[in-house]
Amino acid sequence: MIQAENVWLRLGGSELLKGASLKLHRGEMGVLWGESGSGKSTLMRVLAGIYEPSQGEVRIAGLSPSPENLPAIRSCIAYLPQKARVADESAVREHLLLPFGFRANQDRPVPDDLQLQEWLNRFHLEPELLERPVRDLSGGEFQRVSVIRALMLGRTVLLLDEVTSAMDGANQERVLDAITQDPEITALVVSHDPRVKERGDRLFSMAQGRLEEVTDGS
């Protein structure tokens, strides 16, 4: 479902990725870690189709990110970057429902308030949160709302860059349960947290743009 083969990325005269390769099958969760600047977020952007590799191949759900495949890829993938904080005045309800107005999601039923409240409850969030401005959410609340939005849209390929970093242990477990207990979801998660590494089916470390699959969390 998520595949990169010998991916290189050169930007501004620098080699940011150097022959990165990984493969995650349907239902697997991969965990990626490495020091700041090692290339983790860059790899996630390549997998999300934001950067085009200078060399190598990326496939999402068996599809290469060509123009004709982009609609199909966008309908199954969700990329949650590390610092995607919304600063506008929109309420959480509007934030959750906004993507349902996009062309790629027009075939998906729009959740009603009862369904929204059920989603919030699943992730230990109060129903009153629907009325609060997104900018007023704590870091952990915003991260959970972001995960809820991806799951509501039925995304089955998740690229999650440190999206549990502001959560306590219990809420982190709720998010990881939602990902790992759904056999249709394939996820690559950037995290340094040992608890996240323990839940991974495949573990990857990155240093200076080079990716390596490892057999333990060391």
Side-chain angles (χ1 to χ4, degrees):
M1 290 294 289
I2 302 176
Q3 183 176 358
E5 186 170 347
N6 193 31
V7 169
W8 292 70
L9 181 67
R10 302 176 182 91
L11 288 176
S14 299
E15 289 184 335
L16 303 182
L17 296 178
K18 304 172 184 177
S21 297
L22 64 80
K23 181 182 287 188
L24 290 173
H25 299 287
R26 185 185 303 273
E28 288 187 324
M29 185 177 84
V31 182
L32 171 65
W33 69 90
E35 295 183 358
S36 178
S38 62
K40 306 183 301 300
S41 294
T42 300
L43 176 61
M44 298 291 267
R45 293 186 184 107
V46 169
L47 294 173
I50 297 171
Y51 293 154
E52 182 178 353
S54 305
Q55 179 181 327
E57 185 177 30
V58 168
R59 287 186 175 271
I60 301 295
L63 301 173
S64 60
S66 59
E68 61 270 21
N69 290 336
L70 281 179
I73 291 175
R74 287 171 179 162
S75 71
C76 73
I77 193 171
Y79 167 51
L80 304 186
Q82 184 174 1
K83 297 180 179 179
R85 193 60 191 265
V86 177
D88 63 27
E89 298 287 338
S90 65
V92 169
R93 177 187 286 102
E94 285 68 45
H95 180 70
L96 288 171
L97 296 180
L98 177 64
F100 290 90
F102 300 159
R103 185 188 308 176
N105 304 317
Q106 287 180 350
D107 61 334
R108 300 191 180 277
V110 180
D112 59 27
D113 263 17
L114 179 59
Q115 291 169 316
L116 292 177
Q117 290 171 17
E118 289 173 348
W119 276 104
L120 293 179
N121 182 64
R122 181 179 175 186
F123 290 91
H124 203 60
L125 294 166
E126 296 296 328
E128 293 76 13
L129 205 75
L130 290 173
E131 310 300 332
R132 285 173 54 190
V134 174
R135 61 175 176 78
D136 289 347
L137 299 181
S138 69
E141 288 171 338
F142 179 77
Q143 288 177 337
R144 279 177 281 165
V145 166
S146 298
V147 172
I148 288 170
R149 190 161 83 159
L151 296 178
M152 282 200 318
L153 289 166
R155 300 303 190 242
T156 54
V157 176
L158 305 181
L159 304 174
L160 310 178
D161 195 347
E162 296 280 9
V163 298
T164 64
S165 60
M167 298 180 199
D168 59 27
N171 285 317
Q172 185 181 76
E173 288 298 321
R174 290 183 179 94
V175 169
L176 294 176
D177 285 345
I179 295 169
T180 59
Q181 293 176 4
D182 188 332
E184 295 301 313
I185 290 179
T186 308
L188 182 61
V189 181
V190 173
S191 179
H192 296 85
D193 193 316
R195 293 172 296 186
V196 179
K197 292 180 184 180
E198 289 174 1
R199 301 289 297 270
D201 299 294
R202 295 179 182 271
L203 307 176
F204 303 91
S205 66
M206 179 159 265
Q208 298 180 337
R210 298 189 183 278
L211 185 68
E212 177 182 3
E213 184 167 1
V214 297
T215 56
D216 56 47
S218 61

